[in-house]
């Protein structure tokens, strides 16, 4: 849902990130299926900072240190796993850990 606010001659848009991304997503047809990409690239930086570059041109730096004590994220404390990060456009994948684009945004909002 998009809400448009108009004040004098200035138009303001309030919408979810998903809707904003839908306008700028790289949609393509692959074997009869529509494939959406939200994430353009990911990079594992020093000190457990995850850099997520979105197709919209936005860049998110997510501090993963607070999550490393959780069972799910413990493998990321190992440098050989942390440095093997990739994306398929929707998920960020480490060797044994996977995060969706929605989950990454929710984690960023909590910080």
């Amino acid at each position: 849902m998009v809400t448009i606010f108009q004040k004098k001659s200035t138009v303001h848009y309030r919408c979810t990130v998903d809707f904003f991304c839908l306008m700028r997503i790289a949609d393509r047809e692959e074997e009869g299926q529509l494939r959406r990409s939200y994430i353009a690239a990911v990079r594992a930086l020093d000190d457990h900072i995850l850099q997520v570059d979105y197709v919209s041109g936005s860049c998110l730096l997510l501090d993963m240190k607070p999550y490393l004590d959780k069972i799910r994220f413990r493998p990321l404390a190992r440098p050989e796993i942390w440095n093997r990060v990739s994306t398929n456009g929707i998920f960020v994948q480490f060797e044994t850990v996977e995060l969706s684009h929605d989950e990454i945004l929710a984690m960023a909002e909590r910080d």
Side-chain angles (χ1 to χ4, degrees), residues 9-37:
S9 63
T10 306
V11 178
H12 301 278
Y13 295 93
R14 188 181 87 206
C15 60
T16 65
V17 172
D18 284 340
F19 181 77
F20 176 75
C21 288
L22 284 176
M23 298 182 330
R24 307 231 8 218
I25 286 177
D27 289 335
R28 56 188 178 275
E29 191 80 24
E30 287 183 9
E31 298 176 18
Q33 295 181 348
L34 184 64
R35 176 165 157 47
R36 291 199 170 114
S37 293

Side-chain angles (χ1 to χ4, degrees), residues 2 5 11 13 27 31 34 47 59 61 68 72 74 81 88 100-101 111:
V2 175
F5 298 100
V11 178
Y13 295 93
D27 289 335
E31 298 176 18
L34 184 64
D47 206 24
C59 177
L61 296 175
L68 296 179
R72 179 178 172 208
R74 280 186 190 158
I81 293 177
N88 65 1
S100 73
H101 69 282
D111 289 343

Side-chain angles (χ1 to χ4, degrees), residues 49-92:
I49 304 295
L50 182 65
Q51 178 180 331
V52 183
D53 297 326
Y54 290 91
V55 296
S56 65
S58 298
C59 177
L60 173 70
L61 296 175
L62 181 63
D63 185 2
M64 293 294 293
K65 286 187 295 300
Y67 301 98
L68 296 179
D69 63 339
K70 312 276 188 279
I71 292 173
R72 179 178 172 208
F73 297 110
R74 280 186 190 158
L76 301 181
R78 296 174 48 201
E80 62 272 14
I81 293 177
W82 174 253
N83 292 317
R84 277 198 206 148
V85 64
S86 63
T87 185
N88 65 1
I90 297 174
F91 293 94
V92 171

